[in-house]
Structure formats: structure tokens, C-alpha cells
Amino acid sequence: MNIISLKDIDLKFGSKHVFKSFGLDIQKGEKVRIKGKSGVGKTTLFRLILGFLKPEKGNILYDGLKLDSNSVWDVRRSIAYVSQDMSIGEGLVKDFLEEIFSYEANKHLNVDLENILTLFRQFDLSGELYRGRISDLSGGEKQRVGIVASILLDRSTYLLDEITSALDEALKEKVARCFLGLNEKTILIISHDQVWEAENVKLIDLDSLN
């Protein structure tokens, strides 16, 4: 069953067509790596799926539901988007995470400190960092805190945009192994890192489709 379908999509910026009569189907539970040269529309594709961009022509369906102004918030509540330059704000790491799980849409998750610290250890983040200031974190540490938050959100679909770019090889492997092991989740990955190349990962080359 398709979880994401893009049908006959046209989108252009100025006079440049990013997508023209573009179609794509992603099945529920698939792990998909998206590649293509710079400017081909990889991140734009994610923005379309999240409803931040509206195509000039065509339809986007999520789990059979047409993406429009009436459905977009329900769709976004099913998706976690993680990017290489994900902002986690200022202040304390603890406050950032507590705020996320205080939102009405996330209250049912019952995330506790042990859940958080278990993932911190998995991605080589110290327990002390949880009570530290975001401004004291390195780029890689901020990236991993964002990754931890996204995993705890337990969404049906994950859109991962170069999330391992600031990590060393060992951490890249840990992050890729974690997400690719989420068997029931649909994972779309934009990345140049070879750690995402696996037997269960489907490759979509936008250069050849668009």
C-alpha cells in the first residue's frame, strides 16, 4: 500500500521547472534513498510532501488522503522531518525536549527521562548534556539531539535531509542502523553518505525521473 503518492506534479521557480509531470509512489514501510545533483529538487520534494510548497499542477496523497489546506496538519502530525541544519532553539537542552513533548499532539507519547537518556547513550551524548545549554553544543551534538527528539516522536514517516553530514563515521553508522531498523516506519533519506546504502534501501535518482 502506498503511503506517499505524487501524481503528475508540476512546480517551477521563476522560469525554471523543478518538477514537470512528476510522479512518485512510496510504499508503507519502505526505506528510500533519494539522490540527484544539486538543484534537482531533493529538499523541494520533502517540502511538497509536508505541504510547505503547493504544486501548480497535480496531487499529493498521504496514506490515501489528498494533501490540501484541510488535511495538511493531520499529515504533518504523522511525519517527522529532520534536516542537517535543524534549529533546536536556545536555552537548555532539557527545556527544548520537554517543550516538544508538552504539545497536545505529543502528550500521548509518555516520554520519560530514561527514554531520553537511553537514546543519548546510543548516540554518544552524555547525560550531563541533557541539562546543558544548547549554545554550548557542537554542530554534531545539536544534530544528534534533533535526531533523538525525532525518534521519540514515533511518527509513521521520517524525512531525513542530510542528517549525518556533521557526524564522524562511527556515528553515521549508528544513526543509519537505528533508522533503517525501524521496520514499520517509512523512511525517506537524502544523503551522500554511503552508510545509507543497504540491501533494504531502495534508490531513487531524481536526475533520471525528472
Side-chain angles (χ1 to χ4, degrees):
M1 177 182 175
N2 291 332
I3 186 77
I4 298 169
S5 291
L6 290 89
K7 299 182 179 296
D8 203 24
I9 298 296
D10 279 7
L11 179 71
K12 64 180 181 179
F13 297 133
S15 60
K16 180 189 176 185
H17 272 280
V18 180
F19 295 112
K20 187 172 179 62
S21 300
F22 177 79
L24 181 65
D25 290 320
I26 305 293
Q27 293 188 349
K28 190 172 288 189
E30 269 194 314
K31 311 296 183 280
V32 180
R33 181 174 170 229
I34 298 166
K35 63 172 285 189
K37 63 181 181 293
S38 179
V40 75
K42 301 184 295 294
T43 298
T44 298
L45 176 63
F46 281 6
R47 295 181 70 197
L48 282 166
I49 294 169
L50 289 164
F52 291 121
L53 286 174
K54 185 177 179 181
E56 295 162 37
K57 177 187 171 188
N59 292 312
I60 300 167
L61 285 79
Y62 182 84
D63 204 13
L65 186 66
K66 182 180 176 181
L67 183 63
D68 57 26
S69 59
N70 295 317
S71 64
V72 66
W73 288 109
D74 287 333
V75 170
R76 288 177 189 170
R77 278 192 285 266
S78 296
I79 298 174
Y81 171 63
V82 191
S83 69
Q84 61 181 326
D85 54 358
M86 179 178 175
S87 173
I88 62 172
E90 301 176 352
L92 300 178
V93 174
K94 167 180 174 292
D95 293 341
F96 163 71
L97 292 167
E98 287 180 353
E99 181 180 1
I100 288 176
F101 297 103
S102 70
Y103 298 152
E104 194 63 37
N106 301 329
K107 283 183 178 179
H108 68 286
L109 293 170
N110 297 317
V111 172
D112 61 25
L113 181 58
E114 188 52 40
N115 298 139
I116 295 170
L117 294 182
T118 295
L119 282 171
F120 269 38
R121 288 190 291 270
Q122 183 174 339
F123 299 123
D124 296 351
L125 294 168
S126 70
E128 291 77 16
L129 184 147
Y130 173 72
R131 299 185 183 280
R133 300 195 65 81
I134 292 172
S135 58
D136 293 334
L137 304 185
S138 68
E141 286 169 337
K142 289 178 183 176
Q143 206 161 28
R144 279 176 281 161
V145 170
I147 289 167
V148 166
S150 74
I151 292 169
L152 291 170
L153 284 171
D154 194 29
R155 299 290 170 84
S156 300
T157 299
Y158 285 83
L159 306 182
L160 310 179
D161 192 346
E162 297 286 4
I163 66 165
T164 49
S165 60
L167 307 182
D168 63 30
E169 288 304 315
L171 283 169
K172 289 179 197 285
E173 291 276 1
K174 289 184 179 183
V175 171
R177 191 162 54 245
C178 175
F179 278 107
L180 297 181
L182 299 175
N183 294 325
E184 302 300 317
K185 309 297 185 182
T186 304
I187 314 288
L188 275 66
I189 307 136
I190 297 170
S191 180
H192 295 93
D193 290 329
Q194 292 183 347
V195 293
W196 297 102
E197 296 177 7
E199 194 172 311
N200 66 329
V201 178
K202 176 180 175 181
L203 179 63
I204 292 176
D205 187 347
L206 289 186
D207 289 330
S208 65
L209 290 180
N210 197 20

